[in-house]
Amino acid sequence: MEQYKQEFIQFMVDSHVLKFGEFTLKSGRKSPFFMNAGAYVTGSQLKKLGEYYAKAIHNTYGDEFDVLFGPAYKGIPISVVTAVAYSELYGKEVRYCSDRKEEKDHGADKGSFLGSSLKDGDRVIMIEDVTTSGKSMEETVPKVKGAADVTIKGLMVSLNRMEVGKGGEKSALEEIHDLYGFDTAAIVTMEEVVEYLYNRPYKGEVIIDDALKAAIDAYYEQYGVK
């Protein structure tokens, strides 16, 4: 596993973004783990988050893109900090763009988008926190495609939960790929998280012990991608 992935897993735990216990998801599923990107709230956390996204995008998609698009609302700060990090780490200026939930009808920046406007020929990387159902892509892909003649090169999320999406057979990321035709990727997968944390002491504590591992295995037996 790449070093930045190991560091990102530690970062999620330290930031209390990735939690273990018993959680009821929006889908109604009872999950033994939960990820909340809204817990990244400090300057240093956001700086690191942007760097991990930038490294994952660089490693997965290379530098051949122009715009980072972050769907409202959580995608907005992620796209901003990743654009900053990309400039600092790789010396490449990329623009950020996000959609508005409600269109602004006045001022110099009126319209449906924040940040840069989309232009014909732009190559776009979509960027999100986590994708469970793919609902946000249903809303934002038509907006992006309708704004200009752009190419969506791929989607990057922080964590691939590796469970079935709405169709009940493939993961949400696989469903997005099949539906829209662009690549999907994550900084880390839940499989990598479990592999790294299982029975490994971290700061004096074993985060995923045998009991929690059994609960995660049972969850994936029911909801995991076969």
Side-chain angles (χ1 to χ4, degrees):
M1 189 188 309
E2 293 92 330
Q3 184 67 28
Y4 77 86
K5 292 190 174 197
Q6 297 177 27
E7 293 174 359
F8 184 66
I9 293 168
Q10 295 174 1
F11 175 59
M12 285 195 292
V13 172
D14 290 341
S15 301
H16 306 291
V17 165
L18 181 62
K19 296 183 177 183
F20 298 94
E22 186 173 317
F23 307 92
T24 301
L25 307 179
K26 285 182 182 178
S27 61
R29 298 173 185 175
K30 303 283 188 182
S31 174
F33 59 91
F34 181 71
M35 197 209 112
N36 173 27
Y40 296 120
V41 293
T42 70
S44 62
Q45 287 175 335
L46 290 166
K47 184 176 186 294
K48 286 182 180 179
L49 180 64
E51 290 170 353
Y52 288 124
Y53 266 97
K55 289 175 182 178
I57 289 169
H58 180 77
N59 190 54
T60 306
Y61 298 117
D63 290 337
E64 301 303 309
F65 68 98
D66 309 291
V67 181
L68 292 167
F69 188 94
Y73 287 103
K74 288 181 180 176
I76 296 174
I78 297 174
S79 62
V80 171
V81 296
T82 303
V84 173
Y86 220 91
S87 174
E88 292 183 345
L89 291 176
Y90 304 111
K92 178 178 172 65
E93 293 284 21
V94 296
R95 292 150 32 224
Y96 99 91
C97 181
S98 296
D99 60 328
R100 300 178 189 268
K101 290 291 188 182
E102 299 84 22
E103 185 168 341
K104 186 178 179 184
D105 60 3
H106 63 280
D109 62 341
K110 67 181 181 180
S112 302
F113 297 101
L114 292 166
S116 172
S117 59
L118 294 170
K119 306 171 185 175
D120 289 350
D122 276 343
R123 300 160 298 177
V124 179
I125 299 289
M126 308 291 279
I127 190 167
E128 271 205 304
D129 57 342
V130 65
T131 297
T132 302
S133 68
K135 180 173 174 54
S136 65
M137 288 296 106
E138 289 180 15
E139 298 171 352
T140 54
V141 168
K143 288 184 183 179
V144 171
K145 290 281 194 179
D149 183 14
V150 304
T151 299
I152 299 177
K153 294 203 64 177
L155 165 69
M156 180 63 68
V157 302
S158 58
L159 176 68
N160 181 357
R161 288 183 59 98
M162 300 181 65
E163 58 193 83
V164 292
K166 293 188 299 182
E169 294 182 0
K170 299 178 180 179
S171 72
L173 290 180
E174 289 174 317
E175 288 178 348
I176 289 168
H177 174 270
D178 291 349
L179 187 59
Y180 300 112
F182 53 77
D183 290 336
T184 58
I187 302 176
V188 293
T189 66
M190 198 60 206
E191 183 179 26
E192 290 170 327
V193 170
V194 173
E195 174 192 334
Y196 184 72
L197 292 178
Y198 177 49
N199 277 344
R200 180 195 298 265
Y202 179 62
K203 294 187 175 180
E205 177 188 3
V206 173
I207 296 170
I208 300 181
D209 57 15
D210 289 339
L212 181 54
K213 174 70 160 51
I216 293 171
D217 288 346
Y219 182 78
Y220 278 113
E221 185 67 30
Q222 185 171 6
Y223 298 116
V225 179
K226 303 301 181 185

mmCIF file of all heavy atoms in Angstrom, residues 94-138:
data_model
loop_
_atom_site.group_PDB
_atom_site.id
_atom_site.type_symbol
_atom_site.label_atom_id
_atom_site.label_comp_id
_atom_site.label_asym_id
_atom_site.label_seq_id
_atom_site.Cartn_x
_atom_site.Cartn_y
_atom_site.Cartn_z
ATOM 1 N N VAL A 94 -4.764 24.537 -11.674
ATOM 2 C CA VAL A 94 -6.064 24.016 -12.105
ATOM 3 C C VAL A 94 -7.150 24.888 -11.486
ATOM 4 O O VAL A 94 -6.970 25.462 -10.411
ATOM 5 C CB VAL A 94 -6.252 22.533 -11.709
ATOM 6 C CG1 VAL A 94 -5.235 21.659 -12.422
ATOM 7 C CG2 VAL A 94 -6.138 22.336 -10.200
ATOM 8 N N ARG A 95 -8.256 25.007 -12.164
ATOM 9 C CA ARG A 95 -9.356 25.820 -11.683
ATOM 10 C C ARG A 95 -10.320 24.962 -10.853
ATOM 11 O O ARG A 95 -10.351 23.750 -11.020
ATOM 12 C CB ARG A 95 -10.106 26.431 -12.874
ATOM 13 C CG ARG A 95 -9.256 27.446 -13.603
ATOM 14 C CD ARG A 95 -9.529 27.578 -15.096
ATOM 15 N NE ARG A 95 -10.872 27.356 -15.527
ATOM 16 C CZ ARG A 95 -11.177 26.625 -16.615
ATOM 17 N NH1 ARG A 95 -10.226 26.051 -17.330
ATOM 18 N NH2 ARG A 95 -12.426 26.478 -16.984
ATOM 19 N N TYR A 96 -11.063 25.635 -9.983
ATOM 20 C CA TYR A 96 -12.096 24.909 -9.261
ATOM 21 C C TYR A 96 -13.454 25.440 -9.691
ATOM 22 O O TYR A 96 -13.610 26.600 -10.075
ATOM 23 C CB TYR A 96 -11.922 25.033 -7.740
ATOM 24 C CG TYR A 96 -12.805 26.073 -7.097
ATOM 25 C CD1 TYR A 96 -14.066 25.744 -6.604
ATOM 26 C CD2 TYR A 96 -12.398 27.400 -7.004
ATOM 27 C CE1 TYR A 96 -14.900 26.706 -6.039
ATOM 28 C CE2 TYR A 96 -13.216 28.365 -6.431
ATOM 29 C CZ TYR A 96 -14.468 28.016 -5.964
ATOM 30 O OH TYR A 96 -15.283 28.966 -5.408
ATOM 31 N N CYS A 97 -14.437 24.571 -9.635
ATOM 32 C CA CYS A 97 -15.811 24.950 -9.942
ATOM 33 C C CYS A 97 -16.738 24.107 -9.081
ATOM 34 O O CYS A 97 -16.444 22.942 -8.801
ATOM 35 C CB CYS A 97 -16.108 24.718 -11.428
ATOM 36 S SG CYS A 97 -17.785 25.189 -11.937
ATOM 37 N N SER A 98 -17.815 24.714 -8.624
ATOM 38 C CA SER A 98 -18.844 24.003 -7.867
ATOM 39 C C SER A 98 -20.213 24.510 -8.297
ATOM 40 O O SER A 98 -20.338 25.611 -8.835
ATOM 41 C CB SER A 98 -18.671 24.227 -6.356
ATOM 42 O OG SER A 98 -17.456 23.676 -5.892
ATOM 43 N N ASP A 99 -21.224 23.695 -8.050
ATOM 44 C CA ASP A 99 -22.579 24.125 -8.365
ATOM 45 C C ASP A 99 -23.229 24.762 -7.142
ATOM 46 O O ASP A 99 -22.787 24.568 -6.013
ATOM 47 C CB ASP A 99 -23.431 22.950 -8.866
ATOM 48 C CG ASP A 99 -23.543 21.832 -7.846
ATOM 49 O OD1 ASP A 99 -22.573 21.628 -7.075
ATOM 50 O OD2 ASP A 99 -24.571 21.159 -7.808
ATOM 51 N N ARG A 100 -24.242 25.535 -7.393
ATOM 52 C CA ARG A 100 -25.050 26.106 -6.321
ATOM 53 C C ARG A 100 -26.336 25.285 -6.190
ATOM 54 O O ARG A 100 -26.886 24.836 -7.192
ATOM 55 C CB ARG A 100 -25.438 27.551 -6.640
ATOM 56 C CG ARG A 100 -24.285 28.520 -6.840
ATOM 57 C CD ARG A 100 -24.862 29.892 -7.200
ATOM 58 N NE ARG A 100 -23.854 30.846 -7.620
ATOM 59 C CZ ARG A 100 -23.226 31.696 -6.810
ATOM 60 N NH1 ARG A 100 -23.513 31.679 -5.524
ATOM 61 N NH2 ARG A 100 -22.328 32.542 -7.281
ATOM 62 N N LYS A 101 -26.800 25.134 -4.983
ATOM 63 C CA LYS A 101 -28.089 24.470 -4.776
ATOM 64 C C LYS A 101 -29.232 25.345 -5.301
ATOM 65 O O LYS A 101 -30.209 24.846 -5.841
ATOM 66 C CB LYS A 101 -28.303 24.168 -3.290
ATOM 67 C CG LYS A 101 -27.392 23.083 -2.724
ATOM 68 C CD LYS A 101 -27.732 21.713 -3.272
ATOM 69 C CE LYS A 101 -26.958 20.627 -2.551
ATOM 70 N NZ LYS A 101 -27.234 19.286 -3.087
ATOM 71 N N GLU A 102 -29.066 26.665 -5.128
ATOM 72 C CA GLU A 102 -30.054 27.600 -5.648
ATOM 73 C C GLU A 102 -29.333 28.581 -6.564
ATOM 74 O O GLU A 102 -28.307 29.149 -6.192
ATOM 75 C CB GLU A 102 -30.739 28.386 -4.516
ATOM 76 C CG GLU A 102 -31.502 27.525 -3.533
ATOM 77 C CD GLU A 102 -30.605 26.961 -2.447
ATOM 78 O OE1 GLU A 102 -29.516 27.541 -2.206
ATOM 79 O OE2 GLU A 102 -30.961 25.923 -1.863
ATOM 80 N N GLU A 103 -29.847 28.782 -7.751
ATOM 81 C CA GLU A 103 -29.196 29.672 -8.709
ATOM 82 C C GLU A 103 -29.240 31.119 -8.228
ATOM 83 O O GLU A 103 -30.250 31.599 -7.725
ATOM 84 C CB GLU A 103 -29.888 29.565 -10.077
ATOM 85 C CG GLU A 103 -29.197 30.363 -11.168
ATOM 86 C CD GLU A 103 -29.725 30.019 -12.545
ATOM 87 O OE1 GLU A 103 -30.343 28.946 -12.693
ATOM 88 O OE2 GLU A 103 -29.516 30.825 -13.472
ATOM 89 N N LYS A 104 -28.111 31.812 -8.384
ATOM 90 C CA LYS A 104 -28.024 33.226 -8.009
ATOM 91 C C LYS A 104 -28.413 34.077 -9.213
ATOM 92 O O LYS A 104 -27.870 33.900 -10.305
ATOM 93 C CB LYS A 104 -26.600 33.558 -7.555
ATOM 94 C CG LYS A 104 -26.434 34.969 -7.007
ATOM 95 C CD LYS A 104 -25.004 35.203 -6.541
ATOM 96 C CE LYS A 104 -24.833 36.617 -6.016
ATOM 97 N NZ LYS A 104 -23.434 36.920 -5.628
ATOM 98 N N ASP A 105 -29.346 35.015 -9.001
ATOM 99 C CA ASP A 105 -29.880 35.774 -10.139
ATOM 100 C C ASP A 105 -29.421 37.225 -10.181
ATOM 101 O O ASP A 105 -29.994 38.048 -10.883
ATOM 102 C CB ASP A 105 -31.412 35.724 -10.149
ATOM 103 C CG ASP A 105 -32.017 36.324 -8.880
ATOM 104 O OD1 ASP A 105 -31.249 36.830 -8.032
ATOM 105 O OD2 ASP A 105 -33.255 36.289 -8.750
ATOM 106 N N HIS A 106 -28.355 37.553 -9.427
ATOM 107 C CA HIS A 106 -27.869 38.935 -9.443
ATOM 108 C C HIS A 106 -26.362 38.955 -9.185
ATOM 109 O O HIS A 106 -25.786 37.957 -8.765
ATOM 110 C CB HIS A 106 -28.578 39.770 -8.373
ATOM 111 C CG HIS A 106 -28.313 39.281 -6.974
ATOM 112 N ND1 HIS A 106 -28.976 38.202 -6.435
ATOM 113 C CD2 HIS A 106 -27.437 39.699 -6.029
ATOM 114 C CE1 HIS A 106 -28.534 37.978 -5.209
ATOM 115 N NE2 HIS A 106 -27.597 38.874 -4.938
ATOM 116 N N GLY A 107 -25.727 40.090 -9.453
ATOM 117 C CA GLY A 107 -24.299 40.232 -9.198
ATOM 118 C C GLY A 107 -23.450 39.729 -10.347
ATOM 119 O O GLY A 107 -23.935 39.103 -11.297
ATOM 120 N N ALA A 108 -22.148 39.995 -10.230
ATOM 121 C CA ALA A 108 -21.216 39.611 -11.293
ATOM 122 C C ALA A 108 -21.067 38.100 -11.414
ATOM 123 O O ALA A 108 -20.679 37.580 -12.473
ATOM 124 C CB ALA A 108 -19.851 40.252 -11.042
ATOM 125 N N ASP A 109 -21.347 37.368 -10.312
ATOM 126 C CA ASP A 109 -21.181 35.912 -10.325
ATOM 127 C C ASP A 109 -22.519 35.184 -10.335
ATOM 128 O O ASP A 109 -22.639 34.078 -9.815
ATOM 129 C CB ASP A 109 -20.344 35.461 -9.123
ATOM 130 C CG ASP A 109 -21.014 35.804 -7.791
ATOM 131 O OD1 ASP A 109 -21.905 36.678 -7.785
ATOM 132 O OD2 ASP A 109 -20.637 35.203 -6.769
ATOM 133 N N LYS A 110 -23.526 35.801 -10.930
ATOM 134 C CA LYS A 110 -24.836 35.151 -10.952
ATOM 135 C C LYS A 110 -24.782 33.888 -11.812
ATOM 136 O O LYS A 110 -23.922 33.734 -12.679
ATOM 137 C CB LYS A 110 -25.900 36.101 -11.489
ATOM 138 C CG LYS A 110 -25.770 36.486 -12.952
ATOM 139 C CD LYS A 110 -26.872 37.445 -13.339
ATOM 140 C CE LYS A 110 -26.784 37.847 -14.806
ATOM 141 N NZ LYS A 110 -27.861 38.779 -15.187
ATOM 142 N N GLY A 111 -25.702 32.980 -11.532
ATOM 143 C CA GLY A 111 -25.749 31.730 -12.280
ATOM 144 C C GLY A 111 -25.784 30.534 -11.366
ATOM 145 O O GLY A 111 -26.076 30.651 -10.170
ATOM 146 N N SER A 112 -25.462 29.383 -11.922
ATOM 147 C CA SER A 112 -25.591 28.114 -11.206
ATOM 148 C C SER A 112 -24.289 27.610 -10.610
ATOM 149 O O SER A 112 -24.278 26.568 -9.959
ATOM 150 C CB SER A 112 -26.145 27.041 -12.158
ATOM 151 O OG SER A 112 -27.397 27.427 -12.689
ATOM 152 N N PHE A 113 -23.177 28.344 -10.857
ATOM 153 C CA PHE A 113 -21.875 27.830 -10.448
ATOM 154 C C PHE A 113 -21.096 28.817 -9.594
ATOM 155 O O PHE A 113 -21.276 30.040 -9.698
ATOM 156 C CB PHE A 113 -21.042 27.469 -11.677
ATOM 157 C CG PHE A 113 -21.639 26.377 -12.517
ATOM 158 C CD1 PHE A 113 -22.331 26.682 -13.677
ATOM 159 C CD2 PHE A 113 -21.532 25.055 -12.144
ATOM 160 C CE1 PHE A 113 -22.902 25.681 -14.447
ATOM 161 C CE2 PHE A 113 -22.098 24.046 -12.902
ATOM 162 C CZ PHE A 113 -22.784 24.346 -14.058
ATOM 163 N N LEU A 114 -20.207 28.274 -8.774
ATOM 164 C CA LEU A 114 -19.222 29.038 -8.020
ATOM 165 C C LEU A 114 -17.857 28.811 -8.661
ATOM 166 O O LEU A 114 -17.617 27.785 -9.285
ATOM 167 C CB LEU A 114 -19.157 28.551 -6.569
ATOM 168 C CG LEU A 114 -20.350 28.802 -5.651
ATOM 169 C CD1 LEU A 114 -20.200 27.953 -4.402
ATOM 170 C CD2 LEU A 114 -20.442 30.267 -5.285
ATOM 171 N N GLY A 115 -16.947 29.760 -8.441
ATOM 172 C CA GLY A 115 -15.592 29.575 -8.950
ATOM 173 C C GLY A 115 -15.507 29.815 -10.443
ATOM 174 O O GLY A 115 -16.197 30.674 -10.998
ATOM 175 N N SER A 116 -14.676 29.031 -11.105
ATOM 176 C CA SER A 116 -14.466 29.203 -12.532
ATOM 177 C C SER A 116 -15.684 28.770 -13.333
ATOM 178 O O SER A 116 -16.390 27.829 -12.964
ATOM 179 C CB SER A 116 -13.253 28.367 -12.976
ATOM 180 O OG SER A 116 -13.137 28.360 -14.366
ATOM 181 N N SER A 117 -15.912 29.442 -14.438
ATOM 182 C CA SER A 117 -16.922 28.959 -15.376
ATOM 183 C C SER A 117 -16.333 27.785 -16.158
ATOM 184 O O SER A 117 -15.112 27.635 -16.268
ATOM 185 C CB SER A 117 -17.333 30.075 -16.336
ATOM 186 O OG SER A 117 -16.202 30.556 -17.056
ATOM 187 N N LEU A 118 -17.198 26.943 -16.681
ATOM 188 C CA LEU A 118 -16.765 25.818 -17.508
ATOM 189 C C LEU A 118 -16.726 26.246 -18.966
ATOM 190 O O LEU A 118 -17.617 26.949 -19.436
ATOM 191 C CB LEU A 118 -17.715 24.637 -17.314
ATOM 192 C CG LEU A 118 -17.709 24.020 -15.909
ATOM 193 C CD1 LEU A 118 -18.843 23.019 -15.749
ATOM 194 C CD2 LEU A 118 -16.374 23.357 -15.606
ATOM 195 N N LYS A 119 -15.681 25.818 -19.686
ATOM 196 C CA LYS A 119 -15.478 26.233 -21.061
ATOM 197 C C LYS A 119 -15.408 25.016 -21.975
ATOM 198 O O LYS A 119 -15.011 23.932 -21.549
ATOM 199 C CB LYS A 119 -14.171 27.025 -21.187
ATOM 200 C CG LYS A 119 -14.060 28.205 -20.229
ATOM 201 C CD LYS A 119 -12.651 28.781 -20.271
ATOM 202 C CE LYS A 119 -12.477 29.898 -19.230
ATOM 203 N NZ LYS A 119 -11.072 30.384 -19.178
ATOM 204 N N ASP A 120 -15.784 25.205 -23.228
ATOM 205 C CA ASP A 120 -15.660 24.123 -24.208
ATOM 206 C C ASP A 120 -14.218 23.611 -24.219
ATOM 207 O O ASP A 120 -13.268 24.396 -24.240
ATOM 208 C CB ASP A 120 -16.028 24.616 -25.612
ATOM 209 C CG ASP A 120 -17.510 24.892 -25.762
ATOM 210 O OD1 ASP A 120 -18.279 24.528 -24.857
ATOM 211 O OD2 ASP A 120 -17.896 25.483 -26.797
ATOM 212 N N GLY A 121 -14.074 22.304 -24.195
ATOM 213 C CA GLY A 121 -12.745 21.700 -24.235
ATOM 214 C C GLY A 121 -12.154 21.409 -22.872
ATOM 215 O O GLY A 121 -11.113 20.735 -22.778
ATOM 216 N N ASP A 122 -12.787 21.899 -21.798
ATOM 217 C CA ASP A 122 -12.265 21.636 -20.460
ATOM 218 C C ASP A 122 -12.284 20.144 -20.145
ATOM 219 O O ASP A 122 -13.237 19.430 -20.484
ATOM 220 C CB ASP A 122 -13.100 22.368 -19.406
ATOM 221 C CG ASP A 122 -12.677 23.809 -19.197
ATOM 222 O OD1 ASP A 122 -11.557 24.170 -19.606
ATOM 223 O OD2 ASP A 122 -13.474 24.581 -18.610
ATOM 224 N N ARG A 123 -11.235 19.702 -19.457
ATOM 225 C CA ARG A 123 -11.163 18.332 -18.940
ATOM 226 C C ARG A 123 -11.377 18.414 -17.432
ATOM 227 O O ARG A 123 -10.649 19.114 -16.738
ATOM 228 C CB ARG A 123 -9.800 17.723 -19.275
ATOM 229 C CG ARG A 123 -9.517 17.660 -20.775
ATOM 230 C CD ARG A 123 -8.039 17.519 -21.068
ATOM 231 N NE ARG A 123 -7.289 18.663 -20.567
ATOM 232 C CZ ARG A 123 -5.955 18.762 -20.640
ATOM 233 N NH1 ARG A 123 -5.241 17.801 -21.188
ATOM 234 N NH2 ARG A 123 -5.336 19.829 -20.149
ATOM 235 N N VAL A 124 -12.398 17.699 -16.967
ATOM 236 C CA VAL A 124 -12.888 17.890 -15.595
ATOM 237 C C VAL A 124 -12.662 16.632 -14.757
ATOM 238 O O VAL A 124 -12.914 15.510 -15.214
ATOM 239 C CB VAL A 124 -14.393 18.229 -15.605
ATOM 240 C CG1 VAL A 124 -14.919 18.415 -14.181
ATOM 241 C CG2 VAL A 124 -14.659 19.488 -16.436
ATOM 242 N N ILE A 125 -12.177 16.842 -13.519
ATOM 243 C CA ILE A 125 -12.169 15.778 -12.515
ATOM 244 C C ILE A 125 -13.242 16.116 -11.494
ATOM 245 O O ILE A 125 -13.229 17.186 -10.880
ATOM 246 C CB ILE A 125 -10.802 15.672 -11.800
ATOM 247 C CG1 ILE A 125 -9.671 15.349 -12.787
ATOM 248 C CG2 ILE A 125 -10.866 14.614 -10.692
ATOM 249 C CD1 ILE A 125 -9.699 13.957 -13.348
ATOM 250 N N MET A 126 -14.201 15.215 -11.314
ATOM 251 C CA MET A 126 -15.220 15.373 -10.276
ATOM 252 C C MET A 126 -14.591 14.948 -8.948
ATOM 253 O O MET A 126 -13.788 14.012 -8.896
ATOM 254 C CB MET A 126 -16.438 14.516 -10.578
ATOM 255 C CG MET A 126 -17.019 14.705 -11.976
ATOM 256 S SD MET A 126 -17.787 16.308 -12.237
ATOM 257 C CE MET A 126 -19.392 16.024 -11.457
ATOM 258 N N ILE A 127 -14.979 15.644 -7.867
ATOM 259 C CA ILE A 127 -14.346 15.374 -6.574
ATOM 260 C C ILE A 127 -15.402 15.409 -5.473
ATOM 261 O O ILE A 127 -16.190 16.348 -5.390
ATOM 262 C CB ILE A 127 -13.209 16.392 -6.345
ATOM 263 C CG1 ILE A 127 -12.342 16.057 -5.164
ATOM 264 C CG2 ILE A 127 -13.724 17.812 -6.258
ATOM 265 C CD1 ILE A 127 -11.054 16.862 -5.127
ATOM 266 N N GLU A 128 -15.440 14.341 -4.674
ATOM 267 C CA GLU A 128 -16.467 14.207 -3.620
ATOM 268 C C GLU A 128 -15.855 13.620 -2.368
ATOM 269 O O GLU A 128 -14.726 13.116 -2.383
ATOM 270 C CB GLU A 128 -17.581 13.274 -4.102
ATOM 271 C CG GLU A 128 -18.697 13.955 -4.837
ATOM 272 C CD GLU A 128 -19.972 13.132 -4.733
ATOM 273 O OE1 GLU A 128 -19.954 11.960 -5.107
ATOM 274 O OE2 GLU A 128 -20.978 13.683 -4.270
ATOM 275 N N ASP A 129 -16.628 13.633 -1.266
ATOM 276 C CA ASP A 129 -16.129 13.034 -0.037
ATOM 277 C C ASP A 129 -16.285 11.514 -0.069
ATOM 278 O O ASP A 129 -15.320 10.769 0.023
ATOM 279 C CB ASP A 129 -16.800 13.647 1.193
ATOM 280 C CG ASP A 129 -18.319 13.538 1.188
ATOM 281 O OD1 ASP A 129 -18.905 13.313 0.119
ATOM 282 O OD2 ASP A 129 -18.931 13.680 2.265
ATOM 283 N N VAL A 130 -17.498 11.049 -0.218
ATOM 284 C CA VAL A 130 -17.761 9.611 -0.281
ATOM 285 C C VAL A 130 -19.016 9.415 -1.107
ATOM 286 O O VAL A 130 -19.898 10.276 -1.126
ATOM 287 C CB VAL A 130 -17.922 9.014 1.137
ATOM 288 C CG1 VAL A 130 -19.148 9.577 1.834
ATOM 289 C CG2 VAL A 130 -17.971 7.495 1.117
ATOM 290 N N THR A 131 -19.085 8.317 -1.827
ATOM 291 C CA THR A 131 -20.254 8.034 -2.650
ATOM 292 C C THR A 131 -20.857 6.705 -2.207
ATOM 293 O O THR A 131 -20.201 5.672 -2.293
ATOM 294 C CB THR A 131 -19.884 7.965 -4.146
ATOM 295 O OG1 THR A 131 -19.410 9.241 -4.555
ATOM 296 C CG2 THR A 131 -21.091 7.583 -4.990
ATOM 297 N N THR A 132 -22.091 6.779 -1.712
ATOM 298 C CA THR A 132 -22.785 5.554 -1.298
ATOM 299 C C THR A 132 -23.824 5.140 -2.336
ATOM 300 O O THR A 132 -23.932 3.977 -2.701
ATOM 301 C CB THR A 132 -23.468 5.750 0.067
ATOM 302 O OG1 THR A 132 -22.477 6.132 1.033
ATOM 303 C CG2 THR A 132 -24.124 4.467 0.536
ATOM 304 N N SER A 133 -24.582 6.124 -2.847
ATOM 305 C CA SER A 133 -25.664 5.802 -3.781
ATOM 306 C C SER A 133 -25.456 6.384 -5.169
ATOM 307 O O SER A 133 -26.102 5.965 -6.130
ATOM 308 C CB SER A 133 -26.992 6.328 -3.231
ATOM 309 O OG SER A 133 -27.005 7.746 -3.243
ATOM 310 N N GLY A 134 -24.574 7.384 -5.301
ATOM 311 C CA GLY A 134 -24.381 8.025 -6.598
ATOM 312 C C GLY A 134 -25.399 9.112 -6.890
ATOM 313 O O GLY A 134 -25.425 9.660 -7.997
ATOM 314 N N LYS A 135 -26.215 9.462 -5.897
ATOM 315 C CA LYS A 135 -27.281 10.445 -6.113
ATOM 316 C C LYS A 135 -26.730 11.810 -6.526
ATOM 317 O O LYS A 135 -27.285 12.479 -7.399
ATOM 318 C CB LYS A 135 -28.148 10.586 -4.859
ATOM 319 C CG LYS A 135 -29.288 11.594 -5.016
ATOM 320 C CD LYS A 135 -30.205 11.575 -3.819
ATOM 321 C CE LYS A 135 -31.263 12.662 -3.887
ATOM 322 N NZ LYS A 135 -32.048 12.633 -5.132
ATOM 323 N N SER A 136 -25.627 12.231 -5.904
ATOM 324 C CA SER A 136 -25.097 13.558 -6.221
ATOM 325 C C SER A 136 -24.635 13.640 -7.666
ATOM 326 O O SER A 136 -24.732 14.692 -8.304
ATOM 327 C CB SER A 136 -23.950 13.926 -5.278
ATOM 328 O OG SER A 136 -22.854 13.074 -5.475
ATOM 329 N N MET A 137 -24.126 12.518 -8.207
ATOM 330 C CA MET A 137 -23.701 12.520 -9.610
ATOM 331 C C MET A 137 -24.909 12.645 -10.540
ATOM 332 O O MET A 137 -24.823 13.260 -11.601
ATOM 333 C CB MET A 137 -22.921 11.245 -9.935
ATOM 334 C CG MET A 137 -21.533 11.183 -9.329
ATOM 335 S SD MET A 137 -20.389 12.450 -9.933
ATOM 336 C CE MET A 137 -20.342 13.543 -8.502
ATOM 337 N N GLU A 138 -26.040 12.072 -10.132
ATOM 338 C CA GLU A 138 -27.266 12.212 -10.930
ATOM 339 C C GLU A 138 -27.635 13.682 -11.089
ATOM 340 O O GLU A 138 -28.138 14.097 -12.128
ATOM 341 C CB GLU A 138 -28.431 11.470 -10.249
ATOM 342 C CG GLU A 138 -28.348 9.966 -10.297
ATOM 343 C CD GLU A 138 -29.538 9.328 -9.604
ATOM 344 O OE1 GLU A 138 -30.538 10.038 -9.348
ATOM 345 O OE2 GLU A 138 -29.477 8.126 -9.306
#
